[in-house]
Amino acid sequence: MTSINHHFNFDKEVNRRGTNCVKWDEFTDPDIIPLWVADMDFETAPCIQQALIERMQHGCFGYTHVPESYYDTTIQWFKRRHRWTIDRTSFIYTSGVVPAISAIIKAKTQPGNKVLVQTPVYNCFYSCIRNNGCIIEENPLQIATSESNNGTTAYKTDHYYIIDWDDFEKKCADPAVKVFLLCNPHNPAGRVWTRWELERMGEICLKHGVFVISDEIHCEFVMPTDREAAIATCYGEKHVQYTPFASISEAFAQNSAVCISPSKAFNIAGLQIANIIVKDKDTRAQVDKAININEVCDVNPFGVIALQAAYTPEGEAWLTDLCHYIHQNYLMARQMLEEALPHCPVTTLEGTYLLWVNIQATGKTSQQLADHLLRHAKVFVNAGTMYGEAAGEGYIRINLATRRTLLREGIRRITNSIHN
Ligand SMILES: Cc1ncc(COP(=O)(O)O)c(C=O)c1O
């Protein structure tokens, strides 16, 4: 395996037990390796730690304003790194992406309307839709096969998700579907949607008057291009790149609300900070109202400080090394799984740090296998059915964002336990 010269030490063992940590303190058994919830075991970037220490030393933690520098930092980051120019006026800040999604659904639907999602998908999408009295409409993602043909050049024969376009258009044409809740990049399918795919999704939504909510929380986790992780996609594109949905056209920007946050990339989810970018003035007023009705319009001073420290050159240097580290973890895990379990296809990971593995060949359901692994291998992974009863059945989700030695041991236990 190629070794990368890390400036930052992601191999460092951080003991998270006894810190009220959702990921680790779920279990009392100290032997359990938790590879579940999307939370990394790495200390956040030193520049963020330093900024938080300085803020903490002030000693006063009352209600906080969001300063102009907060907006400037975010605008500069997305402009430079992702070629997306965000208007200062488009921002609505809030305490998380899930509260953001819930409020946007509230703003753009009436109870009884349908919200379209591409399944399997992040579990809270379901609760956000249901809690607003709406109905979930599914556009199930498809595994590409050598027969998959979208009329362009190459095919991808890896275990790889693509969109069923006929179904997508059919669902959007249903007048009850008011909103499409896009996950870009997609958790747990591991796809970083191509510009071409996003254009096509966005055009279909415009055609049928469907509003787009784009959850872009995983946007910084795009695996470095290499032969294995980024073989030309079935649409003939040569490398994987995140495209902000609203950056594609003015019409898309006007017909969308995009949710962004440094929380996943910098492992600061507990600090609860996120932004919604809504270009259309009327929609922005509706979303702002829903954010207020839901009482999620206040953020905490640590989140505000952390975001500004994250979106800097120092934060970016750390992030670059982190993505390399996670990519190496992915290649290692994938190789171990493929060697030991050749009948369990590993989904190609273009983005996120969440590996989606097909375990149908084990003869167990997702839940049975997850329970079995917890009991016999002492590894906790998510059952695929968390992300869709039908679309997630036959899969498990493995969190790769931990130190490599621990991940290796976790994967070793998983493969051994499935063999026995
Ligand atoms: C796609 C997606 N959106 C949102 C979240 C959570 O966002 P937040 O913690 O800001 O509410 C997650 C966490 O795993 C996620 O995977």
Side-chain angles (χ1 to χ4, degrees):
M1 191 165 296
T2 45
S3 75
I4 284 161
N5 191 13
H6 293 290
H7 300 106
F8 302 98
N9 182 11
F10 298 104
D11 290 320
K12 178 176 171 185
E13 181 171 348
V14 183
N15 181 6
R16 303 184 70 193
R17 281 208 176 85
T19 63
N20 302 323
C21 169
V22 167
K23 188 178 182 185
W24 284 82
D25 287 328
E26 174 77 9
F27 311 98
T28 46
D29 182 343
D31 287 340
I32 288 171
I33 300 177
L35 302 177
W36 63 300
V37 58
D39 183 322
M40 306 196 284
D41 291 330
F42 311 118
E43 289 175 346
T44 193
C47 58
I48 298 179
Q49 293 185 43
Q50 189 53 39
L52 290 173
I53 288 168
E54 283 167 23
R55 179 65 187 82
M56 200 266 291
Q57 282 171 341
H58 182 252
C60 289
F61 311 115
Y63 299 120
T64 194
H65 261 310
V66 169
E68 272 313 306
S69 54
Y70 170 100
Y71 299 105
D72 291 345
T73 317
T74 309
I75 290 168
Q76 290 311 323
W77 176 271
F78 278 89
K79 185 184 255 167
R80 199 176 38 74
R81 211 172 134 83
H82 303 302
R83 287 175 284 172
W84 178 23
T85 305
I86 306 174
D87 277 355
R88 162 70 184 84
T89 51
S90 301
F91 278 77
I92 298 175
Y93 59 78
T94 185
S95 55
V97 167
V98 172
I101 292 169
S102 188
I104 306 163
I105 293 176
K106 182 185 225 111
K108 298 303 289 182
T109 61
Q110 299 292 328
N113 288 166
K114 292 180 180 172
V115 176
L116 183 62
V117 289
Q118 293 174 313
T119 56
V121 79
Y122 174 52
N123 50 308
C124 291
F125 279 17
Y126 296 99
S127 50
C128 284
I129 297 168
R130 286 200 191 102
N131 292 344
N132 281 292
C134 292
I135 298 162
I136 294 149
E137 184 67 274
E138 294 188 43
N139 167 229
L141 294 171
Q142 306 292 315
I143 292 294
T145 64
S146 50
E147 282 83 47
S148 304
N149 185 354
N150 70 346
T152 55
T153 50
Y155 303 132
K156 178 143 185 143
T157 51
D158 268 353
H159 202 74
Y160 184 80
Y161 280 99
I162 56 172
I163 295 166
D164 177 344
W165 291 107
D166 290 342
D167 183 73
F168 186 81
E169 175 129 29
K170 194 175 109 206
K171 301 288 164 62
C172 285
D174 176 350
V177 172
K178 301 294 180 199
V179 168
F180 166 44
L181 178 47
L182 165 69
C183 198
N184 173 39
H186 193 284
N187 165 21
R191 282 297 318 277
V192 176
W193 303 114
T194 64
R195 192 183 177 87
W196 181 86
E197 287 168 307
L198 293 167
E199 278 171 5
R200 194 161 170 191
M201 288 189 259
E203 290 299 342
I204 293 170
C205 287
L206 279 177
K207 180 172 157 196
H208 297 287
V210 174
F211 185 79
V212 180
I213 303 174
S214 188
D215 176 343
E216 304 192 353
I217 196 170
H218 291 282
C219 73
E220 310 298 349
F221 290 110
V222 175
M223 293 298 103
T225 305
D226 78 342
R227 293 281 321 147
E228 200 195 348
I231 310 161
T233 71
C234 56
Y235 306 121
E237 292 191 14
K238 289 287 176 284
H239 66 279
V240 180
Q241 192 183 346
Y242 153 68
T243 307
F245 179 80
S247 73
I248 293 175
S249 72
E250 180 61 21
F252 285 14
Q254 294 287 345
N255 189 46
S256 64
V258 178
C259 306
I260 51 175
S261 171
S263 61
K264 289 284 153 209
F266 292 93
N267 210 26
I268 50 172
L271 301 184
Q272 299 186 309
I273 191 81
N275 291 296
I276 312 171
I277 308 300
V278 203
K279 188 115 192 243
D280 178 65
K281 198 161 148 275
D282 295 339
T283 305
R284 193 161 60 245
Q286 291 168 338
V287 174
D288 203 32
K289 188 170 166 201
I291 287 280
N292 278 275
I293 292 171
N294 288 358
E295 309 289 4
V296 284
C297 46
D298 282 317
V299 289
N300 82 64
F302 291 104
V304 173
I305 290 292
L307 176 144
Q308 293 178 84
Y311 290 155
T312 57
E314 294 78 18
E316 189 166 18
W318 179 88
L319 185 60
T320 302
D321 277 9
L322 172 72
C323 283
H324 278 290
Y325 190 87
I326 289 174
H327 185 228
Q328 294 297 313
N329 276 4
Y330 160 58
L331 295 179
M332 178 193 78
R334 181 175 181 143
Q335 189 179 1
M336 289 175 73
L337 289 162
E338 285 180 343
E339 278 174 16
L341 308 169
H343 301 297
C344 292
V346 176
T347 308
T348 301
L349 190 78
E350 292 180 335
T352 82
Y353 51 77
L354 305 160
L355 196 60
W356 188 243
V357 183
N358 184 311
I359 52 82
Q360 277 157 5
T362 64
K364 290 187 164 60
T365 66
S366 304
Q367 194 58 58
Q368 283 167 345
L369 187 69
D371 292 345
H372 172 91
L373 291 176
L374 180 59
R375 205 165 317 119
H376 300 287
K378 298 206 176 188
V379 178
F380 191 54
V381 298
N382 287 111
T385 41
M386 260 192 90
Y387 310 95
E389 282 297 325
E393 185 52 273
Y395 286 84
I396 54 170
R397 196 189 77 168
I398 303 174
N399 183 337
L400 301 171
T402 193
R403 62 182 202 280
R404 194 159 303 142
T405 48
L406 190 69
L407 180 66
R408 187 181 292 123
E409 172 61 10
I411 302 288
R412 193 191 64 74
R413 288 193 202 173
I414 292 172
T415 56
N416 281 355
S417 160
I418 291 178
H419 265 305
N420 298 329

